[in-house]
Amino acid sequence: MRVTESASRQHPDPDVAAEDRRGSVATTGNGDAEWDERYSSTEQVWSGRPNGALVTEVADVQPGRALDVGCGEGADALWLALQGWKVTALDVSRVALARAELHARAAGAHVQWMHAGLVEARLPAGAFDLVSAQYPALRRTPGSDAERALLAAVAPGGILLVVHHADVDAEQARAHGFDPADYVSPGDVAALLGDDWQVEVDEKRPRDVVGGAGAHHTHDLVLRARRRQ
Ligand SMILES: C[S@@+](CC[C@H](N)C(=O)[O-])C[C@H]1O[C@@H](n2cnc3c(N)ncnc32)[C@H](O)[C@@H]1O
């Protein structure tokens, strides 16, 4: 797999003002400096708990191969691994991946960490029974590259789960140098689902997060779709 250097970008989230990885981290490119800076600015950014929508949607699913897109500090990937999933988790931030790997090692869990952007990772088509993207900061492009990469990674019969914040105050976000319209939403992904997909969940729902950046967001947009066999 090949990773190219990521394009420069605006601050990818208004919630927080703004080592080389070796070992089990697959890395073939440069880190995203902005995300590294954000993670480096504090010891822990997120809550350390798996996302509620992931637990709700996946707890009863037979484990298989999972991809966690934009895994951050790794709470979701670790939870999936402890449920028996064979997990690949990718992120553009080496700092986040380093933390994630430490947590997993401490828990005795195995995760294949991958330093890569989703599109640049060139993942094998149809390789995952679950593709989870929780609050991903994926850039919208004219060719919908990120959305297509998410869809392409799901195996026949597999699940695509995309979760994002609902009711983001766009004006406030733009005041922080971040335009939500620049980033992929569950709706953007849903718009590309053809007849070979079945939408199982497409809704806004309350979320309950205590602690970590983003805890003030009260509702999620949840898209869960299954690729037909
Ligand atoms: C808002 S955070 C969410 C982290 C994690 N999913 C969670 O729920 O705690 C977005 C994450 O996406 C990562 N990211 C940004 N651009 C990415 C890209 N093109 N491909 C993969 N990950 C990316 C960032 O480094 C960051 O860790």
Side-chain angles (χ1 to χ4, degrees), residues 10-229:
Q10 294 172 302
H11 196 291
D13 194 312
D15 295 333
V16 178
E19 97 212 61
D20 192 25
R21 290 299 316 141
R22 292 193 176 87
S24 67
V25 179
T27 174
T28 52
N30 296 324
D32 183 299
E34 196 157 4
W35 276 105
D36 274 348
E37 188 183 329
R38 176 176 178 179
Y39 280 109
S40 298
S41 69
T42 180
E43 271 183 23
Q44 181 176 335
V45 175
W46 312 115
S47 71
R49 299 185 187 87
N51 285 303
L54 175 73
V55 175
T56 299
E57 297 302 328
V58 174
D60 294 333
V61 177
Q62 178 71 27
R65 302 154 298 170
L67 174 69
D68 184 3
V69 176
C71 63
E73 291 161 327
D76 285 357
L78 173 56
W79 180 81
L80 285 165
L82 294 176
Q83 304 302 304
W85 290 83
K86 186 175 179 207
V87 185
T88 299
L90 66 81
D91 202 287
V92 294
S93 169
R94 292 173 190 272
V95 178
L97 286 168
R99 289 179 190 168
E101 189 182 12
L102 276 179
H103 293 315
R105 201 177 283 171
H110 176 75
V111 173
Q112 180 64 53
W113 305 105
M114 193 175 173
H115 176 228
L118 169 65
V119 173
E120 294 79 7
R122 299 181 190 278
L123 298 159
F128 299 96
D129 305 299
L130 169 69
V131 172
S132 173
Q134 303 280 326
Y135 316 103
L138 300 169
R139 276 279 192 179
R140 293 176 85 184
T141 59
S144 304
D145 301 291
E147 297 94 313
R148 294 184 195 286
L150 289 171
L151 268 58
V154 181
I159 293 170
L160 174 61
L161 180 61
V162 184
V163 178
H164 230 309
H165 301 301
D167 306 326
V168 174
D169 185 332
E171 204 173 316
Q172 193 188 32
R174 282 193 289 270
H176 285 80
F178 156 83
D179 190 344
D182 289 341
Y183 292 88
V184 171
S185 69
D188 294 326
V189 178
L192 290 183
L193 297 174
D195 291 344
D196 50 338
W197 289 87
Q198 183 182 355
V199 176
E200 297 180 333
V201 177
D202 188 5
E203 65 183 33
K204 174 179 159 182
R205 67 168 72 139
R207 73 180 208 139
D208 185 18
V209 177
V210 283
H216 60 284
H217 291 287
T218 60
H219 287 74
D220 283 331
L221 296 174
V222 180
L223 173 69
R224 172 182 156 148
R226 189 180 293 274
R227 184 189 285 278
R228 297 185 200 278
Q229 295 275 5

